[in-house]
């Protein structure tokens, strides 16, 4: 195997690769996951819909095993796991199902902290006259303003959309309490667990979540596979006429998601503890410089997340200095592409000027202490350089 693709950080440096600290955007595939996907593509490549022969039977068995592995991680029933191309499709299906189940427009409730995959789906449904969106206020740490949530529930909601944790500032949400509050007002809840899965406890059996969405590429699996976990979801009812035929399933992808979940079940808690120590080390190094503060909720934050505002240093200039040394980002992958100020930071009341100084750092499974020390040194140097350049000195 070519050294450039190795996941050992020390070898990655030798190969001249930048240190990867953008794990909220996507994660590298764990070799153990890739091995399973490879075996299913090369050897057990049958069509899971065609179980008349042994190849098809084995493919169907691989799908069933993956459903079990996913279900076990979050305490769900295996038959409630429906494979999708990722979280975006799972969100769209969940909202479409909720709309299909109602005669009147669906009353949706959410904060503006949600991912665009949720917000854009909701706004599109609203534009089509199929839904009406009510916004719940968030505070400057990205937390739900509880009284405002209660106000929205009292005014009437059918489906609450709540992320388990935010993909930019890492704020963790009280989804169990939110689910209880929603259910006590006869509303359903859709939990976007894309960033939280495996990194914090998530128990579908106790919380009673109606729809949960997950994505493999955030947990060291491949891109283009995810799942909607829901006891309510019915594909045929959601798709109507075009749901009459079941597509050929992505067996290798499903198996990869399954094993990625199994690894998270076994190692996720320990990994979270290790990354928390590395994150705190990096945070301490960076915030010991003047004018750098960490954003998000300091008490309820994803362990691998560090989001900072760096006074006097525009983030695009800092990133250009870091190019080839450290890979990180200014915000969510889609916002960065569109060059728009982050809607998440705006929802937290940040000014556009402040937003332009923010950097999102996401640590991951294959980062070492050496990576973090080196990244801290690169970041410190880049920020000092940019500040000097901007002050015209
Ligand atoms: N929800 C959250 C919180 C995310 O971070 C992302 C991806 O960045 C998505 C949804 C969309 O996931 P996918 O890339 O699997 O469609």
């Amino acid at each position: 195997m070519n050294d450039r693709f190795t996941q050992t950080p020390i070898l990655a440096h030798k190969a001249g690769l930048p240190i990867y600290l953008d794990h909220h955007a996507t994660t590298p595939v764990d070799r153990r996951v890739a091995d399973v996907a490879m075996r299913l593509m090369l050897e057990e490549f049958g069509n899971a819909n065609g179980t008349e022969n042994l190849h098809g039977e084995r493919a169907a068995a691989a799908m069933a095993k993956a459903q079990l592995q996913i279900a076990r991680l979050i305490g769900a029933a295996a038959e409630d796991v429906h494979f999708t191309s990722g979280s975006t499709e799972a969100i769209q299906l969940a909202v479409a199902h909720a709309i299909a189940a109602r005669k009147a427009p669906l009353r949706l409730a959410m904060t503006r902290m949600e991912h665009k995959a949720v917000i854009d789906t909701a706004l599109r449904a609203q534009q089509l006259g199929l839904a009406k969106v009510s916004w719940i206020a968030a505070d400057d740490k990205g937390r739900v303003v509880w009284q405002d949530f209660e106000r929205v529930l009292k005014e009437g909601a059918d489906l609450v959309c709540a992320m388990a944790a935010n993909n930019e500032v890492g704020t963790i949400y009280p989804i169990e309490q939110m689910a209880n509050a929603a259910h006590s007002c006869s509303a359903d809840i859709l939990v976007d667990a894309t960033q939280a899965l495996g990194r914090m406890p998530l128990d579908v059996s106790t919380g009673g979540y109606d729809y949960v969405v997950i994505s493999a590429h955030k947990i060291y699996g491949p891109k283009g596979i995810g799942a909607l976990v829901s006891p309510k979801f019915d594909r045929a009812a959601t798709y109507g006429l075009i749901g009459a035929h079941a597509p050929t399933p992505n067996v290798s992808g499903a198996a990869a998601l399954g094993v990625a979940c199994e690894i998270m079940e076994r190692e996720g808690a320990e990994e979270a503890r290790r990354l928390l120590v590395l994150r705190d080390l990096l945070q301490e190094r960076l915030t010991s410089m003047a004018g750098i503060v960490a954003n998000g909720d300091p008490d309820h934050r994803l362990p691998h997340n560090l989001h900072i505002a760096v006074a006097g240093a525009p983030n695009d200039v800092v990133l250009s200095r870091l190019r080839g040394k450290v890979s990180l980002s200014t915000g969510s992958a889609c916002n960065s592409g569109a060059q728009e100020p982050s809607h998440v930071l705006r929802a937290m009341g940040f000014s556009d000027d402040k937003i332009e100084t923010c950097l999102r750092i996401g640590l991951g499974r294959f980062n070492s202490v050496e990576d973090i020390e080196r990244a801290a040194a690169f970041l410190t140097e880049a920020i000092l350089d940019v500040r000097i350049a901007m002050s015209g000195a």
Side-chain angles (χ1 to χ4, degrees):
M1 183 66 65
N2 185 332
D3 247 15
R4 285 185 67 78
F5 295 104
T6 183
Q7 290 170 341
T8 310
I10 305 299
L11 294 180
H13 295 329
K14 273 193 193 155
L17 289 172
I19 301 161
Y20 187 72
L21 292 182
D22 199 14
H23 290 84
H24 298 295
T26 195
T27 58
V29 177
D30 189 305
R31 188 170 298 284
R32 292 168 291 180
V33 173
D35 283 346
V36 169
M38 211 53 167
R39 180 170 51 74
L40 279 146
M41 285 190 287
L42 296 177
E43 294 162 21
E44 300 193 22
F45 51 81
N47 187 330
N49 283 348
T51 51
E52 285 175 327
N53 56 52
L54 196 56
H55 282 86
E57 222 171 79
R58 286 203 174 141
M63 298 284 297
K65 180 174 175 189
Q67 282 178 304
L68 262 179
Q69 288 165 315
I70 296 161
R72 209 175 295 140
L73 178 60
I74 57 173
E79 67 269 21
D80 294 342
V81 176
H82 307 274
F83 292 104
T84 64
S85 66
S87 288
T88 300
E89 193 191 15
I91 290 160
Q92 290 166 351
L93 281 182
V95 173
H97 177 260
I99 286 171
R102 237 184 102 80
K103 300 281 171 276
L106 185 74
R107 294 169 302 172
L108 284 162
M110 65 190 72
T111 71
R112 293 184 195 272
M113 298 296 292
E114 290 300 311
H115 193 271
K116 284 272 181 171
V118 172
I119 292 179
D120 289 351
T121 302
L123 291 179
R124 174 88 178 124
Q126 181 164 262
Q127 199 181 37
L128 294 171
L130 300 169
K132 159 121 190 31
V133 187
S134 296
W135 300 104
I136 304 161
D139 70 9
D140 62 349
K141 305 268 186 284
R143 296 175 295 211
V144 171
V145 177
W146 196 262
Q147 279 150 317
D148 205 48
F149 179 40
E150 286 177 333
R151 172 192 63 81
V152 168
L153 284 179
K154 210 186 268 173
E155 284 172 10
D158 302 308
L159 181 64
V160 173
C161 299
M163 49 188 8
N166 184 265
N167 54 299
E168 292 193 35
V169 293
T171 297
I172 291 173
Y173 292 92
I175 47 167
E176 231 175 282
Q177 288 98 301
M178 291 181 79
N180 290 338
H183 287 155
S184 68
C185 294
S186 307
D188 285 346
I189 186 160
L190 185 168
V191 174
D192 179 355
T194 311
Q195 296 285 342
L197 187 69
R199 299 180 168 105
M200 53 177 256
L202 184 74
D203 190 349
V204 171
S205 66
T206 59
Y209 308 124
D210 304 282
Y211 307 94
V212 176
V213 307
I214 64 170
S215 183
H217 78 101
K218 309 291 188 181
I219 56 162
Y220 310 94
K223 293 160 190 59
I225 184 79
L228 168 60
V229 185
S230 171
K232 300 201 156 159
F233 181 67
D234 173 353
R235 196 175 276 269
T238 308
Y239 278 118
L241 243 194
I242 55 168
H245 180 76
T248 305
N250 174 0
V251 182
S252 58
L257 174 56
V259 77
C261 285
E262 189 187 283
I263 293 170
M264 274 303 198
E265 193 195 356
R266 230 180 18 244
E267 302 173 8
E270 179 51 37
E271 182 170 291
R273 276 192 289 275
R274 188 183 78 85
L275 292 178
L276 180 67
V277 172
L278 293 187
R279 190 276 306 278
D280 286 349
L281 172 71
L282 186 57
Q283 178 168 329
E284 198 199 297
R285 291 271 192 282
L286 296 176
T287 55
S288 67
M289 293 172 77
I292 300 188
V293 291
N295 301 318
D297 183 349
D299 303 322
H300 301 98
R301 195 164 37 135
L302 285 172
H304 63 309
N305 174 277
L306 177 57
H307 192 279
I308 51 172
V310 186
N315 52 18
D316 53 342
V317 190
V318 175
L319 281 193
S320 72
R321 305 260 168 150
L322 291 171
R323 207 172 173 79
K325 296 175 185 155
V326 187
S327 290
L328 43 89
S329 68
T330 60
S332 86
C334 53
N335 283 345
S336 314
Q339 294 290 320
E340 258 177 36
S342 152
H343 72 277
V344 167
L345 300 181
R346 275 190 167 161
M348 291 164 63
F350 284 25
S351 68
D352 283 1
D353 283 351
K354 184 171 177 183
I355 293 173
E356 276 176 22
T357 69
C358 288
L359 293 169
R360 179 184 70 170
I361 303 169
L363 287 71
R365 183 170 292 170
F366 305 106
N367 289 136
S368 63
V369 185
E370 295 78 37
D371 280 343
I372 300 310
E373 293 286 9
R374 283 167 56 95
F378 283 136
L379 267 152
T380 306
E381 191 188 3
I383 290 165
L384 288 175
D385 267 11
V386 171
R387 278 178 169 169
I388 290 170
M390 297 306 292
S391 69

